[in-house]
Amino acid sequence: MSDIKVEGFKASEILAALAQVFDSYSEEEKKSQIKKTNGIFEMRVKNAEGKEAVWTIDLKSTGSVYKGAPKQKANVTLIMSDDTFQQLAEGKIDGQKAFMTGKLKTKGNMMFATKLDGILK
């Protein structure tokens, strides 16, 4: 899944690993995850150099992670720094705290964004 990785982004390593987890799921597990989540996350991540990369976590139709904007309308767009994404993925900060401290911004369904914590774990 090297097409997910973007040089200079720690988030790309985490998302590539997540993509591998999704790929290893059986059809049953994928359907279960899609049914449970039923939505699309658009991740807009800025690295230390100020460059932005976009990834999509599709848990509405395909149960996959890919680089680029969503093919369908995202339920929520999450905007954060590379460091914030890494902290979220490692469980060092939760989404609510990141949002309250201004490290995480959302566009769209904010309540849906809370499902991301469960997916990253």
Side-chain angles (χ1 to χ4, degrees):
M1 288 313 236
S2 57
D3 55 336
I4 290 175
K5 292 185 182 172
V6 178
E7 187 112 358
F9 285 88
K10 295 175 227 152
S12 70
E13 296 289 327
I14 297 162
L15 288 162
L18 187 63
Q20 286 182 324
V21 169
F22 286 169
D23 287 345
S24 73
Y25 280 175
S26 67
E27 281 304 307
E28 305 285 301
E29 289 172 310
K30 225 176 233 191
K31 282 180 184 156
S32 164
Q33 191 69 45
I34 288 170
K35 190 176 181 182
K36 192 168 77 176
T37 310
N38 189 26
I40 298 173
F41 298 91
E42 179 181 358
M43 318 292 290
R44 295 190 165 273
V45 180
K46 269 202 168 101
N47 69 5
E49 295 156 22
K51 291 183 186 152
E52 185 180 73
V54 179
W55 290 274
T56 300
I57 300 174
D58 180 342
L59 285 170
K60 188 173 196 145
S61 52
T62 61
S64 62
V65 180
Y66 55 88
K67 191 168 75 179
K71 295 172 178 86
Q72 302 174 353
K73 188 178 186 311
N75 294 61
V76 68
T77 300
L78 300 161
I79 304 154
M80 69 194 100
S81 73
D82 201 21
D83 287 337
T84 300
F85 184 81
Q86 186 178 20
Q87 289 172 349
L88 280 170
E90 291 173 353
K92 291 182 179 167
I93 187 173
D94 71 350
Q96 203 171 6
K97 188 172 181 186
F99 181 78
M100 295 300 189
T101 56
K103 292 180 176 179
L104 170 66
K105 292 180 175 58
T106 62
K107 283 184 188 163
N109 184 343
M110 203 170 111
M111 288 314 294
F112 182 74
T114 60
K115 291 185 177 187
L116 185 65
D117 273 349
I119 293 164
L120 290 175
K121 286 177 180 63

